[in-house]
Amino acid sequence: MGTVGQFLSLNRHAEISPVEAVDRPLVGYAEDYPAYLFAEAHAHSKAQLIYAGTGVMHVETARSSYIIPPSTALVMPADLVHTIYMDGPVAIRTLFLKQSAAPMFFCDCRVNTVTPLLRELILAAFAEPLEWDVKGRGYYITSLALDEIEKSSFLPLEIPLPKSRQLRCVTDALIRTPADPRSLEDWAEVAGASARTLARLFQRETGMSFRQWRQQVRLTTALRNLSLGESSASAAEVAGFESLPAFGAAFRQFFGITPGQARSEKPLS
């Protein structure tokens, strides 16, 4: 994953500071970014619902990596250090939330579906002034948005990242090339450890077996490619599936929608 610059300059921080400082339970923030920019590790004093109206974001914390296509949003607690990579041009539409406004939502990161109603509420939120009338339209937008976030379903788009050097050399390689067909025994030679040791590390550090972790990486990568307009056949190939029906069945079981439905998701305008 190459980068060509950084977008969180001092000027960008200055733009976001009033959003974080305003005394409102929810405030919208919108910014469009060109392709392949990278935000270095940073954190915000408010919780966020990070949404890409168009484009795909890669968000990484110390513990996990997330792929966020336009049909989803990442709920992130306050003060959590993270990086963001823009996979193509990205229109970020973020809701900044006071932790006290919805403490039950923000104990940890999670990927939520973005319903058509939540999509419209995000649009409405960043159209409001920062210090919106606490008895007016902003109050109702906030109340409904928080309720919609709470009711939205979760998606398994989190990729747990291990800490051990032996395992990280394997997981980094598979994130770069999910279709790599090598077995755990093959990877053991690369990592300089036994297959049994790698299997134990996968379970201990990611909470998944090697096969489960690799399948999650493959399918989330396929979702990313579909969201960028690639065909189901191309997404299946990237994900290491030789059979299109097998890919479709696995994708539907994992996400609850077909590859065609994922590809046709309408971005926020």
PDB file of all heavy atoms in Angstrom, residues 159-178 187 190-191 198 201-202 205-206 210 213-214 217:
ATOM      1  N   ILE A 159     -10.148  -6.885  11.092  1.00  0.00           N
ATOM      2  CA  ILE A 159      -9.069  -7.849  10.918  1.00  0.00           C
ATOM      3  C   ILE A 159      -8.138  -7.714  12.126  1.00  0.00           C
ATOM      4  O   ILE A 159      -7.381  -6.744  12.225  1.00  0.00           O
ATOM      5  CB  ILE A 159      -8.268  -7.595   9.618  1.00  0.00           C
ATOM      6  CG1 ILE A 159      -9.189  -7.577   8.400  1.00  0.00           C
ATOM      7  CG2 ILE A 159      -7.171  -8.632   9.472  1.00  0.00           C
ATOM      8  CD1 ILE A 159      -9.927  -8.861   8.159  1.00  0.00           C
ATOM      9  N   PRO A 160      -8.189  -8.644  13.078  1.00  0.00           N
ATOM     10  CA  PRO A 160      -7.302  -8.546  14.243  1.00  0.00           C
ATOM     11  C   PRO A 160      -5.836  -8.634  13.820  1.00  0.00           C
ATOM     12  O   PRO A 160      -5.471  -9.458  12.981  1.00  0.00           O
ATOM     13  CB  PRO A 160      -7.705  -9.757  15.096  1.00  0.00           C
ATOM     14  CG  PRO A 160      -9.051 -10.164  14.602  1.00  0.00           C
ATOM     15  CD  PRO A 160      -9.074  -9.821  13.157  1.00  0.00           C
ATOM     16  N   LEU A 161      -5.010  -7.775  14.395  1.00  0.00           N
ATOM     17  CA  LEU A 161      -3.589  -7.745  14.061  1.00  0.00           C
ATOM     18  C   LEU A 161      -2.771  -8.314  15.222  1.00  0.00           C
ATOM     19  O   LEU A 161      -2.894  -7.837  16.354  1.00  0.00           O
ATOM     20  CB  LEU A 161      -3.137  -6.306  13.773  1.00  0.00           C
ATOM     21  CG  LEU A 161      -3.817  -5.627  12.574  1.00  0.00           C
ATOM     22  CD1 LEU A 161      -3.363  -4.173  12.481  1.00  0.00           C
ATOM     23  CD2 LEU A 161      -3.540  -6.371  11.283  1.00  0.00           C
ATOM     24  N   PRO A 162      -1.942  -9.301  14.952  1.00  0.00           N
ATOM     25  CA  PRO A 162      -1.132  -9.900  16.027  1.00  0.00           C
ATOM     26  C   PRO A 162       0.038  -8.993  16.411  1.00  0.00           C
ATOM     27  O   PRO A 162       0.397  -8.069  15.673  1.00  0.00           O
ATOM     28  CB  PRO A 162      -0.634 -11.194  15.406  1.00  0.00           C
ATOM     29  CG  PRO A 162      -0.565 -10.884  13.941  1.00  0.00           C
ATOM     30  CD  PRO A 162      -1.714  -9.957  13.661  1.00  0.00           C
ATOM     31  N   LYS A 163       0.635  -9.295  17.540  1.00  0.00           N
ATOM     32  CA  LYS A 163       1.787  -8.531  18.013  1.00  0.00           C
ATOM     33  C   LYS A 163       3.109  -9.234  17.742  1.00  0.00           C
ATOM     34  O   LYS A 163       4.132  -8.577  17.541  1.00  0.00           O
ATOM     35  CB  LYS A 163       1.654  -8.258  19.522  1.00  0.00           C
ATOM     36  CG  LYS A 163       0.519  -7.318  19.878  1.00  0.00           C
ATOM     37  CD  LYS A 163       0.497  -7.055  21.381  1.00  0.00           C
ATOM     38  CE  LYS A 163      -0.613  -6.079  21.743  1.00  0.00           C
ATOM     39  NZ  LYS A 163      -0.657  -5.816  23.217  1.00  0.00           N
ATOM     40  N   SER A 164       3.108 -10.555  17.743  1.00  0.00           N
ATOM     41  CA  SER A 164       4.374 -11.274  17.624  1.00  0.00           C
ATOM     42  C   SER A 164       4.974 -11.114  16.229  1.00  0.00           C
ATOM     43  O   SER A 164       4.265 -11.103  15.226  1.00  0.00           O
ATOM     44  CB  SER A 164       4.172 -12.762  17.933  1.00  0.00           C
ATOM     45  OG  SER A 164       3.323 -13.368  16.969  1.00  0.00           O
ATOM     46  N   ARG A 165       6.291 -10.995  16.179  1.00  0.00           N
ATOM     47  CA  ARG A 165       6.983 -10.788  14.917  1.00  0.00           C
ATOM     48  C   ARG A 165       6.788 -11.963  13.971  1.00  0.00           C
ATOM     49  O   ARG A 165       6.585 -11.782  12.774  1.00  0.00           O
ATOM     50  CB  ARG A 165       8.482 -10.577  15.190  1.00  0.00           C
ATOM     51  CG  ARG A 165       9.328 -10.398  13.936  1.00  0.00           C
ATOM     52  CD  ARG A 165      10.814 -10.449  14.268  1.00  0.00           C
ATOM     53  NE  ARG A 165      11.180 -11.670  14.956  1.00  0.00           N
ATOM     54  CZ  ARG A 165      11.373 -12.842  14.331  1.00  0.00           C
ATOM     55  NH1 ARG A 165      11.223 -12.941  13.027  1.00  0.00           N
ATOM     56  NH2 ARG A 165      11.726 -13.914  15.027  1.00  0.00           N
ATOM     57  N   GLN A 166       6.847 -13.181  14.505  1.00  0.00           N
ATOM     58  CA  GLN A 166       6.702 -14.365  13.660  1.00  0.00           C
ATOM     59  C   GLN A 166       5.355 -14.381  12.949  1.00  0.00           C
ATOM     60  O   GLN A 166       5.274 -14.660  11.749  1.00  0.00           O
ATOM     61  CB  GLN A 166       6.856 -15.630  14.502  1.00  0.00           C
ATOM     62  CG  GLN A 166       8.273 -15.918  14.952  1.00  0.00           C
ATOM     63  CD  GLN A 166       8.330 -17.120  15.876  1.00  0.00           C
ATOM     64  OE1 GLN A 166       7.552 -17.228  16.816  1.00  0.00           O
ATOM     65  NE2 GLN A 166       9.256 -18.032  15.607  1.00  0.00           N
ATOM     66  N   LEU A 167       4.306 -14.071  13.681  1.00  0.00           N
ATOM     67  CA  LEU A 167       2.979 -14.119  13.086  1.00  0.00           C
ATOM     68  C   LEU A 167       2.717 -12.905  12.209  1.00  0.00           C
ATOM     69  O   LEU A 167       2.053 -13.010  11.177  1.00  0.00           O
ATOM     70  CB  LEU A 167       1.917 -14.212  14.191  1.00  0.00           C
ATOM     71  CG  LEU A 167       0.508 -14.597  13.746  1.00  0.00           C
ATOM     72  CD1 LEU A 167       0.534 -15.894  12.946  1.00  0.00           C
ATOM     73  CD2 LEU A 167      -0.412 -14.747  14.957  1.00  0.00           C
ATOM     74  N   ARG A 168       3.256 -11.758  12.575  1.00  0.00           N
ATOM     75  CA  ARG A 168       2.998 -10.542  11.811  1.00  0.00           C
ATOM     76  C   ARG A 168       3.573 -10.626  10.402  1.00  0.00           C
ATOM     77  O   ARG A 168       2.992 -10.097   9.454  1.00  0.00           O
ATOM     78  CB  ARG A 168       3.573  -9.336  12.551  1.00  0.00           C
ATOM     79  CG  ARG A 168       3.087  -7.984  12.028  1.00  0.00           C
ATOM     80  CD  ARG A 168       1.574  -7.832  12.168  1.00  0.00           C
ATOM     81  NE  ARG A 168       1.101  -6.635  11.512  1.00  0.00           N
ATOM     82  CZ  ARG A 168       0.777  -5.520  12.174  1.00  0.00           C
ATOM     83  NH1 ARG A 168       0.840  -5.478  13.498  1.00  0.00           N
ATOM     84  NH2 ARG A 168       0.357  -4.470  11.522  1.00  0.00           N
ATOM     85  N   CYS A 169       4.687 -11.328  10.223  1.00  0.00           N
ATOM     86  CA  CYS A 169       5.239 -11.455   8.869  1.00  0.00           C
ATOM     87  C   CYS A 169       4.293 -12.261   7.982  1.00  0.00           C
ATOM     88  O   CYS A 169       4.219 -12.045   6.769  1.00  0.00           O
ATOM     89  CB  CYS A 169       6.636 -12.060   8.902  1.00  0.00           C
ATOM     90  SG  CYS A 169       6.713 -13.835   9.181  1.00  0.00           S
ATOM     91  N   VAL A 170       3.541 -13.173   8.583  1.00  0.00           N
ATOM     92  CA  VAL A 170       2.554 -13.955   7.831  1.00  0.00           C
ATOM     93  C   VAL A 170       1.325 -13.118   7.527  1.00  0.00           C
ATOM     94  O   VAL A 170       0.855 -13.049   6.384  1.00  0.00           O
ATOM     95  CB  VAL A 170       2.149 -15.219   8.616  1.00  0.00           C
ATOM     96  CG1 VAL A 170       1.065 -15.996   7.874  1.00  0.00           C
ATOM     97  CG2 VAL A 170       3.364 -16.103   8.870  1.00  0.00           C
ATOM     98  N   THR A 171       0.785 -12.458   8.538  1.00  0.00           N
ATOM     99  CA  THR A 171      -0.461 -11.707   8.352  1.00  0.00           C
ATOM    100  C   THR A 171      -0.258 -10.504   7.429  1.00  0.00           C
ATOM    101  O   THR A 171      -1.126 -10.201   6.609  1.00  0.00           O
ATOM    102  CB  THR A 171      -1.039 -11.254   9.700  1.00  0.00           C
ATOM    103  OG1 THR A 171      -0.067 -10.473  10.409  1.00  0.00           O
ATOM    104  CG2 THR A 171      -1.440 -12.454  10.548  1.00  0.00           C
ATOM    105  N   ASP A 172       0.889  -9.830   7.535  1.00  0.00           N
ATOM    106  CA  ASP A 172       1.146  -8.699   6.645  1.00  0.00           C
ATOM    107  C   ASP A 172       1.179  -9.153   5.187  1.00  0.00           C
ATOM    108  O   ASP A 172       0.652  -8.474   4.290  1.00  0.00           O
ATOM    109  CB  ASP A 172       2.476  -8.027   7.003  1.00  0.00           C
ATOM    110  CG  ASP A 172       2.387  -7.194   8.267  1.00  0.00           C
ATOM    111  OD1 ASP A 172       1.275  -7.024   8.806  1.00  0.00           O
ATOM    112  OD2 ASP A 172       3.441  -6.720   8.743  1.00  0.00           O
ATOM    113  N   ALA A 173       1.799 -10.303   4.940  1.00  0.00           N
ATOM    114  CA  ALA A 173       1.884 -10.826   3.579  1.00  0.00           C
ATOM    115  C   ALA A 173       0.500 -11.202   3.047  1.00  0.00           C
ATOM    116  O   ALA A 173       0.181 -10.946   1.874  1.00  0.00           O
ATOM    117  CB  ALA A 173       2.809 -12.034   3.534  1.00  0.00           C
ATOM    118  N   LEU A 174      -0.331 -11.791   3.890  1.00  0.00           N
ATOM    119  CA  LEU A 174      -1.664 -12.199   3.446  1.00  0.00           C
ATOM    120  C   LEU A 174      -2.592 -11.003   3.253  1.00  0.00           C
ATOM    121  O   LEU A 174      -3.471 -11.038   2.384  1.00  0.00           O
ATOM    122  CB  LEU A 174      -2.269 -13.183   4.456  1.00  0.00           C
ATOM    123  CG  LEU A 174      -1.701 -14.599   4.380  1.00  0.00           C
ATOM    124  CD1 LEU A 174      -2.166 -15.429   5.569  1.00  0.00           C
ATOM    125  CD2 LEU A 174      -2.109 -15.275   3.066  1.00  0.00           C
ATOM    126  N   ILE A 175      -2.418  -9.961   4.024  1.00  0.00           N
ATOM    127  CA  ILE A 175      -3.214  -8.747   3.802  1.00  0.00           C
ATOM    128  C   ILE A 175      -2.850  -8.134   2.455  1.00  0.00           C
ATOM    129  O   ILE A 175      -3.718  -7.647   1.726  1.00  0.00           O
ATOM    130  CB  ILE A 175      -2.999  -7.752   4.957  1.00  0.00           C
ATOM    131  CG1 ILE A 175      -3.709  -8.256   6.224  1.00  0.00           C
ATOM    132  CG2 ILE A 175      -3.525  -6.366   4.588  1.00  0.00           C
ATOM    133  CD1 ILE A 175      -3.421  -7.432   7.462  1.00  0.00           C
ATOM    134  N   ARG A 176      -1.555  -8.185   2.100  1.00  0.00           N
ATOM    135  CA  ARG A 176      -1.136  -7.660   0.794  1.00  0.00           C
ATOM    136  C   ARG A 176      -1.633  -8.532  -0.345  1.00  0.00           C
ATOM    137  O   ARG A 176      -2.033  -8.020  -1.400  1.00  0.00           O
ATOM    138  CB  ARG A 176       0.393  -7.549   0.731  1.00  0.00           C
ATOM    139  CG  ARG A 176       1.003  -6.452   1.583  1.00  0.00           C
ATOM    140  CD  ARG A 176       2.466  -6.228   1.226  1.00  0.00           C
ATOM    141  NE  ARG A 176       3.268  -7.429   1.437  1.00  0.00           N
ATOM    142  CZ  ARG A 176       3.892  -7.720   2.560  1.00  0.00           C
ATOM    143  NH1 ARG A 176       3.798  -6.910   3.602  1.00  0.00           N
ATOM    144  NH2 ARG A 176       4.617  -8.820   2.667  1.00  0.00           N
ATOM    145  N   THR A 177      -1.621  -9.862  -0.156  1.00  0.00           N
ATOM    146  CA  THR A 177      -2.000 -10.796  -1.222  1.00  0.00           C
ATOM    147  C   THR A 177      -2.908 -11.870  -0.639  1.00  0.00           C
ATOM    148  O   THR A 177      -2.471 -12.993  -0.344  1.00  0.00           O
ATOM    149  CB  THR A 177      -0.743 -11.446  -1.841  1.00  0.00           C
ATOM    150  OG1 THR A 177       0.234 -10.449  -2.107  1.00  0.00           O
ATOM    151  CG2 THR A 177      -1.096 -12.160  -3.143  1.00  0.00           C
ATOM    152  N   PRO A 178      -4.202 -11.562  -0.480  1.00  0.00           N
ATOM    153  CA  PRO A 178      -5.109 -12.508   0.187  1.00  0.00           C
ATOM    154  C   PRO A 178      -5.252 -13.848  -0.529  1.00  0.00           C
ATOM    155  O   PRO A 178      -5.538 -14.857   0.116  1.00  0.00           O
ATOM    156  CB  PRO A 178      -6.443 -11.756   0.205  1.00  0.00           C
ATOM    157  CG  PRO A 178      -6.086 -10.320   0.048  1.00  0.00           C
ATOM    158  CD  PRO A 178      -4.866 -10.290  -0.812  1.00  0.00           C
ATOM    159  N   TRP A 187       3.708 -21.448   5.493  1.00  0.00           N
ATOM    160  CA  TRP A 187       4.001 -20.193   6.174  1.00  0.00           C
ATOM    161  C   TRP A 187       4.922 -20.402   7.371  1.00  0.00           C
ATOM    162  O   TRP A 187       5.676 -19.498   7.755  1.00  0.00           O
ATOM    163  CB  TRP A 187       2.701 -19.514   6.616  1.00  0.00           C
ATOM    164  CG  TRP A 187       1.962 -18.868   5.488  1.00  0.00           C
ATOM    165  CD1 TRP A 187       0.757 -19.244   4.966  1.00  0.00           C
ATOM    166  CD2 TRP A 187       2.382 -17.731   4.734  1.00  0.00           C
ATOM    167  NE1 TRP A 187       0.394 -18.414   3.920  1.00  0.00           N
ATOM    168  CE2 TRP A 187       1.383 -17.478   3.765  1.00  0.00           C
ATOM    169  CE3 TRP A 187       3.498 -16.903   4.773  1.00  0.00           C
ATOM    170  CZ2 TRP A 187       1.471 -16.428   2.856  1.00  0.00           C
ATOM    171  CZ3 TRP A 187       3.601 -15.851   3.870  1.00  0.00           C
ATOM    172  CH2 TRP A 187       2.586 -15.625   2.928  1.00  0.00           C
ATOM    173  N   VAL A 190       8.352 -19.840   6.318  1.00  0.00           N
ATOM    174  CA  VAL A 190       8.639 -18.411   6.125  1.00  0.00           C
ATOM    175  C   VAL A 190       8.896 -17.734   7.473  1.00  0.00           C
ATOM    176  O   VAL A 190       9.812 -16.914   7.619  1.00  0.00           O
ATOM    177  CB  VAL A 190       7.466 -17.723   5.396  1.00  0.00           C
ATOM    178  CG1 VAL A 190       7.697 -16.210   5.321  1.00  0.00           C
ATOM    179  CG2 VAL A 190       7.284 -18.308   4.001  1.00  0.00           C
ATOM    180  N   ALA A 191       8.071 -18.088   8.457  1.00  0.00           N
ATOM    181  CA  ALA A 191       8.141 -17.429   9.764  1.00  0.00           C
ATOM    182  C   ALA A 191       9.248 -17.980  10.651  1.00  0.00           C
ATOM    183  O   ALA A 191       9.576 -17.377  11.681  1.00  0.00           O
ATOM    184  CB  ALA A 191       6.794 -17.559  10.474  1.00  0.00           C
ATOM    185  N   LEU A 198       2.588 -21.561  15.055  1.00  0.00           N
ATOM    186  CA  LEU A 198       1.802 -20.542  14.361  1.00  0.00           C
ATOM    187  C   LEU A 198       0.313 -20.701  14.642  1.00  0.00           C
ATOM    188  O   LEU A 198      -0.403 -19.705  14.843  1.00  0.00           O
ATOM    189  CB  LEU A 198       2.050 -20.619  12.851  1.00  0.00           C
ATOM    190  CG  LEU A 198       3.337 -20.016  12.301  1.00  0.00           C
ATOM    191  CD1 LEU A 198       3.277 -19.948  10.782  1.00  0.00           C
ATOM    192  CD2 LEU A 198       3.599 -18.633  12.874  1.00  0.00           C
ATOM    193  N   LEU A 201      -0.352 -19.311  18.008  1.00  0.00           N
ATOM    194  CA  LEU A 201      -0.270 -17.852  18.003  1.00  0.00           C
ATOM    195  C   LEU A 201      -1.494 -17.223  17.347  1.00  0.00           C
ATOM    196  O   LEU A 201      -1.999 -16.195  17.816  1.00  0.00           O
ATOM    197  CB  LEU A 201       1.001 -17.406  17.280  1.00  0.00           C
ATOM    198  CG  LEU A 201       2.323 -17.637  18.016  1.00  0.00           C
ATOM    199  CD1 LEU A 201       3.502 -17.304  17.117  1.00  0.00           C
ATOM    200  CD2 LEU A 201       2.379 -16.801  19.291  1.00  0.00           C
ATOM    201  N   PHE A 202      -1.961 -17.799  16.247  1.00  0.00           N
ATOM    202  CA  PHE A 202      -3.168 -17.278  15.593  1.00  0.00           C
ATOM    203  C   PHE A 202      -4.332 -17.263  16.573  1.00  0.00           C
ATOM    204  O   PHE A 202      -5.050 -16.266  16.702  1.00  0.00           O
ATOM    205  CB  PHE A 202      -3.521 -18.121  14.359  1.00  0.00           C
ATOM    206  CG  PHE A 202      -3.099 -17.504  13.066  1.00  0.00           C
ATOM    207  CD1 PHE A 202      -2.015 -17.998  12.365  1.00  0.00           C
ATOM    208  CD2 PHE A 202      -3.785 -16.419  12.533  1.00  0.00           C
ATOM    209  CE1 PHE A 202      -1.609 -17.428  11.156  1.00  0.00           C
ATOM    210  CE2 PHE A 202      -3.399 -15.844  11.336  1.00  0.00           C
ATOM    211  CZ  PHE A 202      -2.310 -16.348  10.645  1.00  0.00           C
ATOM    212  N   GLU A 205      -3.559 -14.676  19.580  1.00  0.00           N
ATOM    213  CA  GLU A 205      -3.394 -13.255  19.293  1.00  0.00           C
ATOM    214  C   GLU A 205      -4.491 -12.662  18.415  1.00  0.00           C
ATOM    215  O   GLU A 205      -4.651 -11.442  18.375  1.00  0.00           O
ATOM    216  CB  GLU A 205      -2.025 -13.010  18.652  1.00  0.00           C
ATOM    217  CG  GLU A 205      -0.875 -13.376  19.567  1.00  0.00           C
ATOM    218  CD  GLU A 205       0.465 -12.860  19.068  1.00  0.00           C
ATOM    219  OE1 GLU A 205       0.477 -11.941  18.226  1.00  0.00           O
ATOM    220  OE2 GLU A 205       1.501 -13.375  19.521  1.00  0.00           O
ATOM    221  N   THR A 206      -5.233 -13.485  17.700  1.00  0.00           N
ATOM    222  CA  THR A 206      -6.324 -12.961  16.874  1.00  0.00           C
ATOM    223  C   THR A 206      -7.688 -13.493  17.296  1.00  0.00           C
ATOM    224  O   THR A 206      -8.708 -12.951  16.854  1.00  0.00           O
ATOM    225  CB  THR A 206      -6.111 -13.298  15.379  1.00  0.00           C
ATOM    226  OG1 THR A 206      -6.352 -14.696  15.156  1.00  0.00           O
ATOM    227  CG2 THR A 206      -4.713 -12.933  14.919  1.00  0.00           C
ATOM    228  N   PHE A 210      -6.076 -20.029  11.767  1.00  0.00           N
ATOM    229  CA  PHE A 210      -5.466 -19.530  10.533  1.00  0.00           C
ATOM    230  C   PHE A 210      -6.478 -19.467   9.402  1.00  0.00           C
ATOM    231  O   PHE A 210      -6.579 -18.461   8.695  1.00  0.00           O
ATOM    232  CB  PHE A 210      -4.294 -20.437  10.138  1.00  0.00           C
ATOM    233  CG  PHE A 210      -3.781 -20.219   8.743  1.00  0.00           C
ATOM    234  CD1 PHE A 210      -3.086 -19.079   8.406  1.00  0.00           C
ATOM    235  CD2 PHE A 210      -4.006 -21.182   7.753  1.00  0.00           C
ATOM    236  CE1 PHE A 210      -2.607 -18.878   7.109  1.00  0.00           C
ATOM    237  CE2 PHE A 210      -3.529 -20.996   6.458  1.00  0.00           C
ATOM    238  CZ  PHE A 210      -2.831 -19.836   6.138  1.00  0.00           C
ATOM    239  N   TRP A 213      -9.069 -16.634   9.971  1.00  0.00           N
ATOM    240  CA  TRP A 213      -8.475 -15.305   9.785  1.00  0.00           C
ATOM    241  C   TRP A 213      -8.253 -15.025   8.309  1.00  0.00           C
ATOM    242  O   TRP A 213      -8.587 -13.948   7.815  1.00  0.00           O
ATOM    243  CB  TRP A 213      -7.153 -15.229  10.545  1.00  0.00           C
ATOM    244  CG  TRP A 213      -6.576 -13.845  10.594  1.00  0.00           C
ATOM    245  CD1 TRP A 213      -6.778 -12.893  11.552  1.00  0.00           C
ATOM    246  CD2 TRP A 213      -5.698 -13.253   9.619  1.00  0.00           C
ATOM    247  NE1 TRP A 213      -6.089 -11.748  11.245  1.00  0.00           N
ATOM    248  CE2 TRP A 213      -5.404 -11.939  10.058  1.00  0.00           C
ATOM    249  CE3 TRP A 213      -5.133 -13.705   8.433  1.00  0.00           C
ATOM    250  CZ2 TRP A 213      -4.587 -11.093   9.344  1.00  0.00           C
ATOM    251  CZ3 TRP A 213      -4.314 -12.848   7.716  1.00  0.00           C
ATOM    252  CH2 TRP A 213      -4.043 -11.557   8.166  1.00  0.00           C
ATOM    253  N   ARG A 214      -7.698 -15.988   7.587  1.00  0.00           N
ATOM    254  CA  ARG A 214      -7.448 -15.790   6.155  1.00  0.00           C
ATOM    255  C   ARG A 214      -8.752 -15.596   5.386  1.00  0.00           C
ATOM    256  O   ARG A 214      -8.835 -14.745   4.488  1.00  0.00           O
ATOM    257  CB  ARG A 214      -6.671 -16.982   5.582  1.00  0.00           C
ATOM    258  CG  ARG A 214      -6.309 -16.796   4.100  1.00  0.00           C
ATOM    259  CD  ARG A 214      -5.427 -17.908   3.592  1.00  0.00           C
ATOM    260  NE  ARG A 214      -6.089 -19.213   3.656  1.00  0.00           N
ATOM    261  CZ  ARG A 214      -5.519 -20.340   3.251  1.00  0.00           C
ATOM    262  NH1 ARG A 214      -4.278 -20.338   2.777  1.00  0.00           N
ATOM    263  NH2 ARG A 214      -6.169 -21.487   3.328  1.00  0.00           N
ATOM    264  N   VAL A 217      -9.953 -12.042   5.893  1.00  0.00           N
ATOM    265  CA  VAL A 217      -9.170 -11.113   5.072  1.00  0.00           C
ATOM    266  C   VAL A 217      -9.603 -11.194   3.613  1.00  0.00           C
ATOM    267  O   VAL A 217      -9.788 -10.173   2.939  1.00  0.00           O
ATOM    268  CB  VAL A 217      -7.666 -11.410   5.203  1.00  0.00           C
ATOM    269  CG1 VAL A 217      -6.865 -10.620   4.168  1.00  0.00           C
ATOM    270  CG2 VAL A 217      -7.175 -11.074   6.603  1.00  0.00           C
TER     271      VAL A 217
END
